[in-house]
C-alpha cells in the first residue's frame, strides 16, 4: 500500500495526539498531556487551538444538549467557548499519580472514560461512568485494566468495546454489566489504542507502536491491517470519505517527519 496517500493536517507534532471526534463541520482532537484541544474543518487550512487547560485532557465531545464535555485531570469538565473549563464531577483520584485517558458518550447519554497512572508507579487503571441525568456523580464501572482506551459503543446499542492496551487485547462487555467481559480480539505483543465504529459498522483500532490500523467486523474478525507512516497511532476517525489518524511523538528518540501529526487519507484507497 502506498503510504504517500497520507497527508498531515497538523502544523506541528503533538506529544500525545489523541481523542479524534467528529464535529458538525469536521473533527477535533487533543494533545492529551498538554491539555490542548484542536478543531479542524476539511478545506479550511490548519487546525485551530480552541482550549489549553492546566490538566491533561483525554478527549472532548458534545453531549445531547450541545455542551462540549471533556475528561480532564481526574474527572469531567465542560469546555466553554471562551477557552475555560468548568469542573462537573471528579473521581477522587490523586492527580499527582492518575490522569484521565480515552472515553465516549454512551447511547443513554452517560459519559464513560478511563483513568490510568502517569507517574511511573504500579499500573492501576479503571473505567468510570458519569451520568449527568442521575445526580451528576461518577461511579467506577470496573478496575484492573492498566491502560484503558476507548470505549466505543456498537450499533446494537448495548455492546461496548474497551482496549486493554497494556495487555494487547480488546475486551467486549455490555452497558448492563460492564464488570463482565470477554475477549473481542487479541493483538499479541502489541498495544491496541483508540477505536472508532464507522457508518458501515466496522471497528477501526489504532495500534500503538505498530504503525498500523486494524479493521474488524462486529464479530471480531480482522478485515484489514492498514499501514500508517507514524510509529505511534493513537486514535482513528472515519470522516465521510476520508480517514483521520492522530499520533504521538512522546518517547521517540528519533521521531520521523510525521510522528505526532494528525493525518488524513482517502477511505477508498485504504481497504481492499
Amino acid at each position: 500500500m502506498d503510504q504517500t496517500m497520507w497527508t498531515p493536517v497538523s502544523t506541528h507534532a503533538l506529544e500525545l495526539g489523541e481523542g479524534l471526534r467528529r464535529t458538525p463541520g469536521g473533527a477535533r482532537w487533543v494533545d492529551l498531556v498538554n491539555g490542548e484541544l484542536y478543531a479542524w474543518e476539511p478545506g479550511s487550512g490548519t487546525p485551530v487551538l480552541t482550549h489549553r487547560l492546566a490538566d491533561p485532557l483525554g478527549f472532548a465531545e458534545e453531549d445531547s444538549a450541545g455542551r462540549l464535555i471533556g475528561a480532564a485531570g481526574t474527572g469531567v469538565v465542560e469546555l466553554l467557548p471562551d477557552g475555560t473549563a468548568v469542573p462537573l464531577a471528579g473521581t477522587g483520584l490523586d492527580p499527582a499519580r492518575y490522569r484521565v485517558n480515552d472515553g465516549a458518550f454512551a447511547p443513554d447519554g452517560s459519559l464513560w472514560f478511563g483513568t490510568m497512572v502517569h507517574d511511573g508507579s504500579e499500573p492501576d487503571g479503571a473505567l468510570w461512568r458519569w451520568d449527568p441525568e442521575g445526580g451528576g456523580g461518577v461511579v467506577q464501572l470496573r478496575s484492573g485494566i492498566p491502560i484503558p482506551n476507548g470505549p466505543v459503543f456498537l450499533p446494537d446499542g448495548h455492546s461496548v468495546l474497551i482496549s486493554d492496551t497494556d495487555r494487547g487485547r480488546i475486551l467486549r462487555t455490555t452497558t448492563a454489566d460492564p464488570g463482565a467481559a470477554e475477549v473481542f480480539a487479541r493483538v499479541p505483543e502489541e498495544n491496541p489504542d483508540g477505536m472508532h465504529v464507522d457508518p458501515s459498522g466496522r471497528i477501526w483500532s489504532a495500534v500503538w507502536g505498530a504503525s498500523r490500523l486494524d479493521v474488524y467486523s462486529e464479530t471480531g474478525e480482522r478485515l484489514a491491517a492498514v499501514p500508517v507512516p507514524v510509529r505511534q497511532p493513537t486514535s482513528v476517525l472515519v470522516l465521510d470519505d476520508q480517514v483521520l489518524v492522530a499520533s504521538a511523538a512522546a518517547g521517540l528518540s528519533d521521531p520521523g517527519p510525521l510522528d505526532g501529526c494528525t493525518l488524513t487519507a482517502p477511505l477508498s484507497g485504504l481497504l481492499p
Side-chain angles (χ1 to χ4, degrees), residues 187-211:
V187 193
E189 300 181 9
E190 293 180 328
N191 304 110
D193 205 312
M195 293 179 287
H196 169 68
V197 183
D198 72 16
S200 298
R202 295 170 298 209
I203 295 98
W204 294 69
S205 168
V207 188
W208 173 279
S211 301

Side-chain angles (χ1 to χ4, degrees), residues 93-105:
L93 296 174
D94 180 0
R97 185 180 182 211
Y98 296 92
R99 66 162 172 80
V100 295
N101 206 39
D102 204 356
F105 277 102

Side-chain angles (χ1 to χ4, degrees), residues 53-181:
L53 307 186
D55 299 313
L57 177 63
F59 72 100
E61 187 173 349
E62 285 92 357
D63 67 6
S64 59
R67 298 183 301 170
L68 185 57
I69 305 298
T74 57
V76 181
V77 301
E78 181 180 359
L79 299 170
L80 302 182
D82 65 2
T84 60
V86 177
L88 297 177
T91 59
L93 296 174
D94 180 0
R97 185 180 182 211
Y98 296 92
R99 66 162 172 80
V100 295
N101 206 39
D102 204 356
F105 277 102
D108 67 358
S110 64
L111 184 71
W112 293 37
F113 65 97
T115 56
M116 59 176 285
V117 168
H118 69 97
D119 66 350
S121 61
E122 186 72 18
D124 181 25
L127 184 67
W128 305 78
R129 180 179 184 268
W130 172 66
D131 183 3
E133 301 299 328
V138 172
V139 297
Q140 187 180 108
L141 297 177
R142 63 178 299 143
S143 58
I145 303 177
I147 302 177
N149 273 291
V152 293
F153 298 88
L154 299 188
D156 64 19
H158 60 83
S159 298
V160 190
L161 299 182
I162 306 163
S163 291
D164 187 353
T165 299
D166 195 50
R167 296 190 177 109
R169 61 184 185 173
I170 299 172
L171 302 176
R172 182 174 184 141
T173 184
T174 65
T175 55
D177 187 10

